[in-house]
Amino acid sequence: MTQETQYDLIVVGSGAAGLSCAITAKERGLNVVVLEKEPVFGGTTALSGGVLWIPLNHHGRKQNPADSVQAVRTYLMQETGAFYDEESVSAFIENGPRMVDFMERKTQMKFVPTLYPDYHPDVPGGVDIGRSILAAPYDIRGLGKDMKRLKPPLKTITFIGMMFNSSNADLKHFFQATKSLTSFLYVARRLANHIRELALYRRAINVTSGNALAARLAQSALDMGVPILTSTAAQRVVMEGDRIVGVATKATVANGDVERILRARYGVVLACGGFPHDIQRIAKAYSHVRRGHEHLSPTPESNTGDGIHMAETVGGVMEIRFKEPSAWMPVTRVDLGNGEVGVFPHLLDRYKPGVIGVLSNGKRFTNESNSYHDVGAAMVQACKDLPETVMWLVCDKATLSKYGLGYVKPSPMPIGRFIRNGYLLQGQTLTELATRAGIDPTALEQTVREYNTGAVMGEDPAFGRGSTSFNRYLADPANQPNPCVAPVQNGPFYAIKLIMGDLGTFDGIQTSVVGEVLRRDGSAITGLYAAGNDRASIMGGNYPGAGITHGPNMTFGYLTALHIADTADRDAQAASGGQTVARQAVPT
């Protein structure tokens, strides 16, 4: 551990927002340190899809030259509703593309375009392509000895530890491996390379998605001389007079815990990942939890609202304002064996033809091919008078064999252990399946019968599955005339039980546009900033597109760092009697 105790800037949290802030500040000449209470860095970012929603970035402009500032503004006005913030939206639109250019020019960060439509492309200002970009795959051997400190991905979204690319093109080859020679050869190469990596390094080396985003940002910070102090928890921010001057920390080392004060000349940035595991706060914020219903978050268990608590103790304000305080994600609990339990986020199966979602009353309640957040919000509302906030995904044998369901992989992978451990329920008839699941059997029979009437023709008159480009993007283009719709008809039938989870919180600390933590009277707490999910989202509790967490989080982390560096420059100039000062970072 570095013995230095004086810095220009202290960043608490090693996710995308915190690292973006640290990198930008370091590039501007500040002496920066990043604190991370876990023994590994990357936070929620390392578990994520690694997608950024950055309208008008240079990759997207090539895909969609017709996109415009006005279209983006119109879309966000529609999406954020009463929480539309003109100043923050303008700052995001202006600085998002600049942040991307800066990262690609100055760091190890590389992005690739995706084919993601906005999640609501039919809303005014929405587009079918050009706003979401993805972290390029990365060989983590570039991290050297720090490779072991990179947070691994969720086990449930890997295949024997191998990661898939969030662009969806990667997964399509795996679904087609038994039907296409090109896909078979692609999968064979991927598996061979992965097995070689496991033999040599005991983990995947060529990482994708959020693991690639976290690795590239961490590598950039470390290359620039920014220490990332893992196993170092921030206990409280230190205030002298009316300004924040540092952080009290507790570090776990080989011979015990070490407590010390780290001082910051120009500021402390709280980027601790929001409050998805703050039990007391989510009990107030989440309506289904208030009703006594279960919630299971796949985010890091260390995201316990530390940054919010620290801000509140010195006058910062955090209120639950948004109708949807989190990015909802329906999940299943997975028995990984040997007493280990995993969480599986349902990112893909709901879009596939032949899969429907029903409540315990046996009825469908939403378009299953909408985004995870929209389906989650509909699920919370639909279950408000039911004993549990749950939905069941139901399909027949042909659909299960073709696409899998949840953690259950497609044919030829065996399904026996999932039936034995109760993750996957099976019934020779819909009535038998419903009885085993605790679903109303008569209602389920009627629901499937009504659904099948339109499904045989590729239609869903009840909820309009397949009606948007986003619905169709994650479905099966080979299934025509509607990639999202096919009947549920020949037994045996299968079901899995989904409960509510989240990808991170939306409500957060009230800040200025540049991230200054504000008191209730609107004044800024000098030297204290919030970034990432610690800061209230500009999306107002909605989820307009793939990457609306990382995109704004990295943009505002970048913007916060620029503000702090500008403040430091002004202070240095004033101290020198108005002369321009060439300020250098203090060596570590």
Side-chain angles (χ1 to χ4, degrees), residues 296-579:
L296 183 63
S297 177
T299 61
E301 293 183 3
S302 60
N303 290 8
T304 52
D306 297 353
I308 295 170
H309 289 294
M310 285 187 279
E312 288 177 323
T313 61
V314 294
V317 178
M318 189 281 188
E319 295 178 338
I320 304 301
R321 301 184 302 148
F322 304 145
K323 180 183 177 182
E324 310 298 342
S326 272
W328 302 129
M329 169 59 77
V331 301
T332 43
R333 180 181 282 105
V334 179
D335 180 0
L336 297 174
N338 299 317
E340 186 179 1
V341 175
V343 183
F344 182 87
H346 285 260
L347 292 158
L348 295 172
D349 49 7
R350 295 175 294 99
Y351 302 89
K352 298 298 187 284
V355 176
I356 62 170
V358 301
L359 304 178
S360 57
N361 60 18
K363 298 178 181 179
R364 292 176 69 207
F365 63 100
T366 194
N367 179 340
E368 299 91 342
S369 297
N370 283 341
S371 76
Y372 34 81
H373 179 70
D374 290 349
V375 170
M379 181 173 157
V380 170
Q381 177 63 26
C383 294
K384 62 184 177 64
D385 296 321
L386 297 176
E388 297 179 282
T389 299
V390 301
M391 67 180 288
W392 295 87
L393 291 185
V394 175
C395 71
D396 61 20
K397 182 177 181 180
T399 298
L400 182 75
S401 297
K402 192 171 186 179
Y403 306 113
L405 193 66
Y407 193 59
V408 180
K409 304 299 184 289
S411 179
M413 299 301 293
I415 65 172
R417 71 181 178 99
F418 298 109
I419 294 175
R420 289 190 296 272
N421 69 22
Y423 179 82
L424 180 69
L425 300 184
Q426 176 182 272
Q428 293 303 314
T429 65
L430 287 170
T431 296
E432 182 182 347
L433 179 70
T435 301
R436 289 182 175 171
I439 301 171
D440 183 320
T442 302
L444 180 61
E445 287 269 12
Q446 182 178 344
T447 294
V448 171
R449 185 164 54 250
E450 292 174 351
Y451 168 76
N452 283 348
T453 300
V456 293
M457 297 178 289
E459 298 173 356
D460 178 24
F463 294 102
R465 286 183 67 169
S467 59
T468 73
S469 56
F470 175 69
N471 280 184
R472 298 186 293 273
Y473 176 63
L474 293 171
D476 181 0
N479 186 80
Q480 293 298 324
N482 189 334
C484 301
V485 176
V488 181
Q489 53 189 5
N490 296 316
F493 300 96
Y494 297 91
I496 55 175
K497 182 181 182 180
L498 278 61
I499 60 178
M500 188 51 60
D502 67 85
L503 296 180
T505 46
F506 282 148
D507 274 306
I509 300 166
Q510 298 302 301
T511 69
S512 68
V513 173
V514 295
E516 300 159 302
V517 174
L518 302 178
R519 299 181 180 90
R520 194 165 295 277
D521 65 6
S523 62
I525 300 173
T526 304
L528 188 61
Y529 302 84
N533 286 3
D534 277 357
R535 167 181 175 158
S537 169
I538 68 166
M539 299 300 170
N542 206 352
Y543 213 118
I548 58 91
T549 299
H550 289 323
N553 284 358
M554 288 183 64
T555 298
F556 285 108
Y558 163 83
L559 195 58
T560 295
L562 294 180
H563 170 79
I564 295 169
D566 288 344
T567 301
D569 285 345
R570 287 193 296 270
D571 289 352
Q573 188 172 356
S576 67
Q579 301 296 314

Side-chain angles (χ1 to χ4, degrees), residues 186-258:
Y186 177 90
V187 170
R189 285 194 298 269
R190 283 289 313 273
L191 286 172
N193 288 336
H194 179 64
I195 291 169
R196 188 181 307 114
E197 290 173 4
L198 291 179
L200 293 173
Y201 304 102
R202 304 182 67 182
R203 68 174 295 170
I205 296 303
N206 290 289
V207 300
T208 63
S209 305
N211 227 231
L213 179 59
R216 285 182 175 277
L217 289 170
Q219 182 66 65
S220 301
L222 294 167
D223 285 350
M224 296 169 78
V226 176
I228 303 175
L229 306 185
T230 46
S231 300
T232 304
Q235 304 288 295
R236 59 184 172 86
V237 290
V238 178
M239 198 169 199
E240 292 181 359
D242 62 352
R243 69 177 296 126
I244 302 301
V245 297
V247 177
T249 69
K250 178 184 286 187
T252 302
V253 294
N255 57 351
D257 291 339
V258 176

Side-chain angles (χ1 to χ4, degrees), residues 234-296:
Q235 304 288 295
R236 59 184 172 86
V237 290
V238 178
M239 198 169 199
E240 292 181 359
D242 62 352
R243 69 177 296 126
I244 302 301
V245 297
V247 177
T249 69
K250 178 184 286 187
T252 302
V253 294
N255 57 351
D257 291 339
V258 176
E259 296 184 6
R260 57 182 182 155
I261 302 292
L262 301 182
R263 297 184 69 85
R265 295 183 183 90
Y266 300 113
V268 173
V269 178
L270 303 172
C272 306
F275 62 95
H277 291 278
D278 181 340
I279 303 303
Q280 292 183 333
R281 205 177 298 267
I282 68 170
K284 296 177 182 178
Y286 298 174
S287 61
H288 60 289
V289 177
R290 289 199 302 271
R291 297 194 293 263
H293 297 182
E294 189 174 8
H295 186 88
L296 183 63

